[in-house]
Amino acid sequence: MTLHGIFAPALELAPEERPTLWTHIKDFIRKRRMMMLIVVLPTLLLSGYYYLIASDQYESEAHFVVRSADAPSSGPSGFGQLLGLSGMGGGAGDAASVTDYLQSHDAVEKLRRDVGLVSRFRRPEIDPLSRLRTEDPTPESLLKYYDGKVRARTDHDTGITTLTVRAFRPGDAYAIIRSLLVMGEQRVNAMNARSYNDAIASSRRQLQEAEVAAAEVQDNLTAYRQDKADIDPEGSGKAQIGLVSTLRANLAAAQAQLETAGAFISRSSPQYVALSRQVRSLQAQLAAQSGRLAGSSASQSSSIANNLGGYEDLRLRQEFAGKRYEAAAAAFAQARDRAQRQQLYLVRIVDANVPVKSLYPQRGRIVLTVFLALLLIYSIGWLIAAGVREHTA
């Protein structure tokens, strides 16, 4: 129906009898009062709030990835492969742990202490509905408010995490997101320290045990040398064996000379007697040195053979301890290298920016969305009511 059709009855009346424009407006509102109450009035109130009262909000954004020093355990798929990002992203679990930390009570409490998070969300220019309500909020209420201003999401195809922060001043948004990036790097470093210590703890313990065993064997060997008053029992044993061998050779030569002389001279001659004494002397020396080498039943504990046996046992233990230490040192070096290759790094792809223009709240979008939703609700209700009236008639 056109405007001419609406106002035609009024135009047919005399000028003094024609209703005023305000009368037509009141009639129009009265006939469509439900639409005004359900659609128009809430839309006008919402528009008044967003366009006259709601504070501007500025958003700062940063992109980063969490990756390890060696190749990632699982490459990206889909669009990430088309972009050639197969070597950029770290494990999805590592990135998820960082993003979860950045939206946790721990992060909120640290921001509260370090950058004055509460005061930044209670600026005097913030409208009452957007401002943090109390100066001393509970951790739960502060986290709920914080979740509405800070968002971290990870693209599992590329491994890139997008961190966004909204605040009511450009400097506040920038300060908060810079602190969050630093906190993310600190969290990654803490994760590295924990995983590094766990990875090499076993090999470090084995190396320390090998060091203690090697030092203990060395102390026992030193004490043994001091107790036996012999710095090199092995060398002493070789020298004693050489001495015994020389005495035996000299004794054999002297006995042969004595037998030869006995065939030509008298046994009572001075030459024969001297040779006999030489043989007996060599026999006595050989017996004494052989006893010192092998030991008798009375002096067996102090014999060179006994000393050399204990020394060789300690040297064998020292050799085993040395090999054990070398193996433990090699295993420790391998574990350390492997742990270093698995270290994580937070790489900033896009650093935080200082916002210039406010992007929130999206006034036109919000008002239009609410208006269309209310209009849809009203239309559905009108159709239902019309159907009921028609059914009743």
Side-chain angles (χ1 to χ4, degrees):
M1 179 179 295
T2 63
L3 291 176
H4 179 75
I6 296 175
F7 297 106
L11 293 176
E12 296 176 355
L13 299 175
E16 63 277 2
E17 297 179 352
R18 293 177 184 175
T20 62
L21 179 61
W22 175 245
T23 304
H24 286 292
I25 293 175
K26 289 193 296 183
D27 291 341
F28 180 82
I29 294 176
R30 187 176 62 255
K31 292 177 181 179
R32 292 167 176 80
R33 59 182 178 275
M34 294 304 299
M35 180 180 179
M36 294 298 174
L37 290 174
I38 297 175
V39 179
V40 178
L41 183 61
T43 303
L44 290 176
L45 293 175
L46 189 67
S47 301
Y49 168 73
Y50 275 108
Y51 283 98
L52 301 177
I53 301 175
S55 303
D56 291 336
Q57 298 182 31
Y58 300 85
E59 183 178 81
S60 182
E61 182 174 299
H63 299 171
F64 64 86
V65 295
V66 179
R67 56 171 298 180
S68 58
D70 56 357
S73 58
S74 60
S77 58
F79 189 62
Q81 291 180 342
L82 297 178
L83 294 178
L85 296 173
S86 59
M88 291 185 62
D94 300 324
S97 63
V98 174
T99 57
D100 183 69
Y101 167 72
L102 295 180
Q103 294 183 301
S104 66
H105 280 287
D106 293 339
V108 172
E109 185 61 29
K110 186 171 178 59
L111 288 173
R112 188 175 189 172
R113 295 193 310 266
D114 297 347
V115 301
L117 185 66
V118 174
S119 62
R120 293 182 186 273
F121 288 143
R122 286 186 55 81
R123 299 294 189 187
E125 67 270 19
I126 304 176
D127 66 270
L129 295 181
S130 301
R131 184 187 301 127
L132 185 61
R133 299 190 183 280
T134 62
E135 296 181 357
D136 188 19
T138 62
E140 292 78 11
S141 61
L142 182 58
L143 178 62
K144 184 178 180 180
Y145 185 90
Y146 171 87
D147 286 339
K149 303 301 179 184
V150 178
R151 184 178 181 186
R153 59 186 183 277
T154 301
D155 188 334
H156 296 287
D157 288 336
T158 62
I160 299 176
T161 298
T162 301
L163 178 65
T164 57
V165 174
R166 278 191 286 161
F168 300 93
R169 292 183 183 179
D172 291 345
Y174 182 72
I176 293 173
I177 197 171
R178 292 282 295 181
S179 298
L180 286 173
L181 290 173
V182 173
M183 290 164 55
E185 292 172 349
Q186 293 174 349
R187 174 59 57 174
V188 168
N189 293 336
M191 292 167 56
N192 284 336
R194 175 70 179 272
S195 62
Y196 181 85
N197 292 332
D198 291 345
I200 66 174
S202 177
S203 57
R204 180 191 283 119
R205 184 175 60 254
Q206 293 178 359
L207 179 61
Q208 292 174 348
E209 293 175 354
E211 289 178 350
V212 171
E216 183 179 357
V217 172
Q218 183 62 41
D219 292 342
N220 293 337
L221 188 61
T222 301
Y224 186 85
R225 287 169 173 168
Q226 293 174 348
D227 181 62
K228 302 301 182 181
D230 190 353
I231 193 172
D232 187 10
E234 185 177 359
S236 300
K238 291 180 179 179
Q240 188 67 22
I241 292 174
L243 178 60
V244 171
S245 298
T246 301
L247 288 175
R248 284 178 178 172
N250 293 338
L251 177 59
Q255 288 177 342
Q257 186 178 4
L258 181 61
E259 291 178 0
T260 303
F264 297 100
I265 61 177
S266 172
R267 296 181 181 272
S268 59
S269 64
Q271 185 178 2
Y272 187 85
V273 173
L275 289 173
S276 298
R277 290 177 179 175
Q278 183 181 3
V279 169
R280 287 194 297 272
S281 176
L282 289 173
Q283 288 176 340
Q285 292 181 10
L286 179 60
Q289 297 299 329
S290 296
R292 186 177 173 217
L293 180 65
S296 60
S297 59
S299 60
Q300 189 173 3
S301 60
S302 61
S303 66
I304 292 180
N306 184 69
N307 294 347
L308 186 60
Y311 177 77
E312 289 179 345
D313 179 67
L314 290 175
R315 284 299 302 273
L316 184 61
R317 292 177 181 272
Q318 186 184 40
E319 183 179 354
F320 286 159
K323 291 182 178 179
R324 178 187 175 186
Y325 177 80
E326 291 177 359
F332 177 75
Q334 291 177 358
R336 184 176 55 191
D337 293 340
R338 184 168 56 252
Q340 288 176 348
R341 289 195 302 270
Q342 294 174 349
Q343 294 289 285
L344 300 174
Y345 302 92
L346 190 149
V347 182
R348 300 185 188 184
I349 299 177
V350 178
D351 208 349
N353 65 300
V354 180
V356 177
K357 180 181 179 181
S358 64
L359 300 178
Y360 297 91
Q362 298 177 334
R363 296 175 172 88
R365 181 179 179 181
I366 295 174
V367 171
L368 181 60
T369 302
V370 172
F371 174 75
L372 293 177
L374 293 176
L375 186 61
L376 179 61
I377 294 172
Y378 172 77
S379 300
I380 295 174
W382 184 84
L383 290 174
I384 294 174
V388 171
R389 287 196 301 269
E390 182 179 355
H391 181 74
T392 303

